Amino acid sequence: MGITYNVNGKQFHLFNAEISYFLGICPDGEVGQLYFGKKINENQTIAYGQTKGVRPVCCNTKEDENYTKELAMLEYPAFGNGDFRTPAYEIRQSNGSRVTNLIYREHRIYSGKKPIEGLPASYANTDDEATTLEIVCFDEIAKVEVTLFYTIWEKYPVICRHAKINNLADDRVVITKALSMCLDLPDSDYNWLQFEGAWGRERYPVERSLSNGITQIESMRGHSSANYNPFVIVKRKNTDEFMGEAIGINFVYSGNFVAESEADTYGKLRLLMGINPRWFEWPLDKGESFETPEVIISYSKEGLNKLSQSIHAFMNNNLVRGRYKNAPRPILLNNWEATEMNFNEEKILKIAKKGKEAGVELFVLDDGWFGKRNDDYAGLGDWFVNNKKLPDGLKGLSEKVNDLGLDFGVWIEPEMVNEDSDLYRAHPDWVLGAPDRTRTLGRHQMVLDFSKKEVVDNIYEQLYAAFSEANISYIKWDMNRSITECYSLGGDPSKEGMVYHKYIMGVYDLYERLIKAFPDILFESCASGGSRFDAGILYYAPQAWCSDDTDAHERIKIQYGTSYGYPVSMVGAHVSASPNLQTGRNIRIDERAAIACFGTFGYELDLNEISDEEFDMVKEQIKFMKEYRSLFQYGSLYRLESPFKKNISAWMVVSKDKETSIVAIYKNLKTPNVGQIRIRLKGLDPDGVYKINDQKEAYGDILMEGGVQYPEGDNEWFFDDGDFSSRIYVLKKNVTK
Ligand code: DGJ
């Protein structure tokens, strides 16, 4: 791994064993893209990135009339001087001009990686894991400096990028767009894979072919959203799970974003990602700077499984922090679906006690423990205990839960406030909202103005007091509505375009302060289920509630889609009651567990209310999960059959040493007389003999090349299974040939 600079060719090469990223200084001094893809030889001058026009409409150098920005592949392009595609940034200067021209000035190469102030970012555990290139560019007229950051990693086919804009002019400039990356590719023969949905059906993969023009997804909700996830793959048309080229881009950010590709009429593709420029304006006075969030660019030449595996390992090792990094996650029991807000201490302890009997490790008290919170019209903003429900406070309850032998966790929604709350009565101007206009409500709540430091300080102090009083091991941090009327009351009108970004910086600040104060607490992010499930939040919360939809049949799709861009260790997944709260569907408890085990695993129901037979199954499930959770959460995941394509879906995890593997096959609807299907396993040792569910044995090669048949028995399909059934196979290697 390393970064070299070829002085003669004015060319940088970022490389590791798998990938090469070449960029260079164009004839006019701008920084251009030369090559990104599989590792190639270093000692060559790559020219095709700077194509000359046969008949350029505009040209940029007096020396060479054929050189045109219209065809150039650029690293951080501007609009207004000959490149007519979507720009990566825009800066309005004090004279009203938006024209800029960033020219290479100098560069620095160093081991390791610097943090980005106030923002989540990947980090190197030791300096030899990563090498960073900073390219400093300057606009002589506007007196604006832009530094482009690139980090290449030794172990992963991953490059991280972001940019920093520095105003060296005497007057104020206003950034109206500052994306984090632009990647120009020399052809546009790709498909675009996005992960979309809504509440209850988050992150379904949807593939679009890229015809000429712009393909774009975005969020303007103030959070990354369930509608479009800030993760996108561009892939060759024939790339599948097991073969072919693919590029992934993950935004390490939880607010408004845009991900865009522009296929131009010359056959090139521009890929862009960053903070959404809509409603974004960031003034910079002399000497001030703005740093964008980071994008993780990943690459695979061997299909989508390989791409996802690289992302998973990278996130687990270089994005997740703290005590739970690479650690097996506690099996938890959450009371939300069992009681909603209608509980008292006795009811809670009864649920927790049964959880302990089953083998659960952590009890989580969800919404309703604070202020006047008996329904969703009141209480948010008042983070002190509701003594009517919990007479001995959080302290008393946590001690009683600890006495049962369980850890204790609580739910919070710190960014929100109800009209009926002490906080709102005292500070009506602490809420986002446009002057003199009615606020749009969501779940009867308003959004606190986290762009104001005093608001974040107040919530921090309240939460600090609440968490200090009790023995708290886990926090579920919820966020149940999108931002509307984004306006900070009483602020400087010329700075209103900063509010969306400052809001999310406030959220990150609160996370950071709570993590510092309570380093042993495990944070789980949640936003009406999976509406803020992104790489930015993962830096603070090692896990995130994947969806409020816990119906096993629906969850297969949600977790399958999520796995493209995020590790299993991040996926909050629980077994809930049947019939399911969201779909009304009945699915057996073993089937519910068979999908939840591909996540952090837990229960979301009152275990006192299930049959003895089911309770025995729960005990077995927990035993099984305790034995294999590290494998589920940190093994190499292979998607084998997609629930979006067939009635049968399958995936598997394999331990790093290939000694153990778990394969799960799920069937949706019972269909008579369809025969068997063959599923070819992956990632095993071909010469290893694997014992399957402690019964029969088979070589890894036959399991991978020949595959397994499902269903196995002659009659099984018709009589035993019913709808929504699954098989879990544990494979243990016995001998190597
Ligand atoms: C939405 C979450 O997704 C649920 O799990 C639950 O915590 C509720 N909010 C509580 O209000």
Side-chain angles (χ1 to χ4, degrees), residues 211 226 296 342 501 503 560 734:
S211 43
I296 301 167
N342 180 21
H501 182 58
Y503 174 90
Y560 206 91
N734 270 346

PDB file of all heavy atoms in Angstrom, residues 211 226 296 342 501 503 560 734:
ATOM      1  N   SER A 211     -29.058   5.579 -18.370  1.00  0.00           N
ATOM      2  CA  SER A 211     -29.082   6.170 -19.705  1.00  0.00           C
ATOM      3  C   SER A 211     -28.564   7.593 -19.573  1.00  0.00           C
ATOM      4  O   SER A 211     -28.412   8.110 -18.456  1.00  0.00           O
ATOM      5  CB  SER A 211     -30.491   6.130 -20.296  1.00  0.00           C
ATOM      6  OG  SER A 211     -31.420   6.492 -19.329  1.00  0.00           O
ATOM      7  N   ALA A 226     -35.429   6.694   5.393  1.00  0.00           N
ATOM      8  CA  ALA A 226     -35.787   5.334   4.969  1.00  0.00           C
ATOM      9  C   ALA A 226     -36.050   5.305   3.476  1.00  0.00           C
ATOM     10  O   ALA A 226     -36.088   4.247   2.862  1.00  0.00           O
ATOM     11  CB  ALA A 226     -37.038   4.883   5.712  1.00  0.00           C
ATOM     12  N   ILE A 296     -16.885   6.923   1.601  1.00  0.00           N
ATOM     13  CA  ILE A 296     -16.086   5.691   1.508  1.00  0.00           C
ATOM     14  C   ILE A 296     -16.327   5.114   0.120  1.00  0.00           C
ATOM     15  O   ILE A 296     -17.458   4.766  -0.223  1.00  0.00           O
ATOM     16  CB  ILE A 296     -16.528   4.664   2.576  1.00  0.00           C
ATOM     17  CG1 ILE A 296     -16.388   5.226   3.992  1.00  0.00           C
ATOM     18  CG2 ILE A 296     -15.763   3.355   2.425  1.00  0.00           C
ATOM     19  CD1 ILE A 296     -17.095   4.381   5.056  1.00  0.00           C
ATOM     20  N   ASN A 342     -47.724   1.967  28.283  1.00  0.00           N
ATOM     21  CA  ASN A 342     -48.631   1.587  29.363  1.00  0.00           C
ATOM     22  C   ASN A 342     -47.963   0.563  30.290  1.00  0.00           C
ATOM     23  O   ASN A 342     -48.177  -0.637  30.163  1.00  0.00           O
ATOM     24  CB  ASN A 342     -49.898   1.020  28.700  1.00  0.00           C
ATOM     25  CG  ASN A 342     -50.900   0.592  29.717  1.00  0.00           C
ATOM     26  OD1 ASN A 342     -50.873   1.041  30.866  1.00  0.00           O
ATOM     27  ND2 ASN A 342     -51.790  -0.302  29.304  1.00  0.00           N
ATOM     28  N   HIS A 501     -27.166  21.541   8.335  1.00  0.00           N
ATOM     29  CA  HIS A 501     -25.875  20.899   8.630  1.00  0.00           C
ATOM     30  C   HIS A 501     -25.488  21.116  10.096  1.00  0.00           C
ATOM     31  O   HIS A 501     -24.992  20.191  10.762  1.00  0.00           O
ATOM     32  CB  HIS A 501     -24.792  21.436   7.691  1.00  0.00           C
ATOM     33  CG  HIS A 501     -23.450  20.793   7.885  1.00  0.00           C
ATOM     34  ND1 HIS A 501     -23.245  19.448   7.768  1.00  0.00           N
ATOM     35  CD2 HIS A 501     -22.238  21.322   8.218  1.00  0.00           C
ATOM     36  CE1 HIS A 501     -21.969  19.162   8.009  1.00  0.00           C
ATOM     37  NE2 HIS A 501     -21.340  20.289   8.286  1.00  0.00           N
ATOM     38  N   TYR A 503     -27.480  21.420  12.494  1.00  0.00           N
ATOM     39  CA  TYR A 503     -28.347  20.542  13.287  1.00  0.00           C
ATOM     40  C   TYR A 503     -27.677  19.168  13.468  1.00  0.00           C
ATOM     41  O   TYR A 503     -27.545  18.669  14.583  1.00  0.00           O
ATOM     42  CB  TYR A 503     -29.703  20.359  12.579  1.00  0.00           C
ATOM     43  CG  TYR A 503     -30.589  19.347  13.259  1.00  0.00           C
ATOM     44  CD1 TYR A 503     -31.481  19.739  14.249  1.00  0.00           C
ATOM     45  CD2 TYR A 503     -30.516  17.995  12.953  1.00  0.00           C
ATOM     46  CE1 TYR A 503     -32.280  18.809  14.903  1.00  0.00           C
ATOM     47  CE2 TYR A 503     -31.301  17.057  13.600  1.00  0.00           C
ATOM     48  CZ  TYR A 503     -32.188  17.472  14.567  1.00  0.00           C
ATOM     49  OH  TYR A 503     -32.962  16.544  15.223  1.00  0.00           O
ATOM     50  N   TYR A 560     -31.702  -8.270   4.101  1.00  0.00           N
ATOM     51  CA  TYR A 560     -30.942  -8.640   2.896  1.00  0.00           C
ATOM     52  C   TYR A 560     -30.471  -7.384   2.174  1.00  0.00           C
ATOM     53  O   TYR A 560     -29.300  -7.238   1.821  1.00  0.00           O
ATOM     54  CB  TYR A 560     -31.848  -9.476   1.989  1.00  0.00           C
ATOM     55  CG  TYR A 560     -31.134 -10.430   1.062  1.00  0.00           C
ATOM     56  CD1 TYR A 560     -30.868 -11.730   1.457  1.00  0.00           C
ATOM     57  CD2 TYR A 560     -30.766 -10.047  -0.215  1.00  0.00           C
ATOM     58  CE1 TYR A 560     -30.238 -12.619   0.599  1.00  0.00           C
ATOM     59  CE2 TYR A 560     -30.139 -10.932  -1.084  1.00  0.00           C
ATOM     60  CZ  TYR A 560     -29.877 -12.228  -0.664  1.00  0.00           C
ATOM     61  OH  TYR A 560     -29.256 -13.107  -1.508  1.00  0.00           O
ATOM     62  N   ASN A 734     -14.375 -30.835   9.917  1.00  0.00           N
ATOM     63  CA  ASN A 734     -13.783 -31.917  10.698  1.00  0.00           C
ATOM     64  C   ASN A 734     -12.349 -32.186  10.308  1.00  0.00           C
ATOM     65  O   ASN A 734     -11.444 -32.221  11.101  1.00  0.00           O
ATOM     66  CB  ASN A 734     -14.566 -33.207  10.439  1.00  0.00           C
ATOM     67  CG  ASN A 734     -15.690 -33.348  11.436  1.00  0.00           C
ATOM     68  OD1 ASN A 734     -15.718 -32.639  12.432  1.00  0.00           O
ATOM     69  ND2 ASN A 734     -16.608 -34.252  11.145  1.00  0.00           N
TER      70      ASN A 734
END
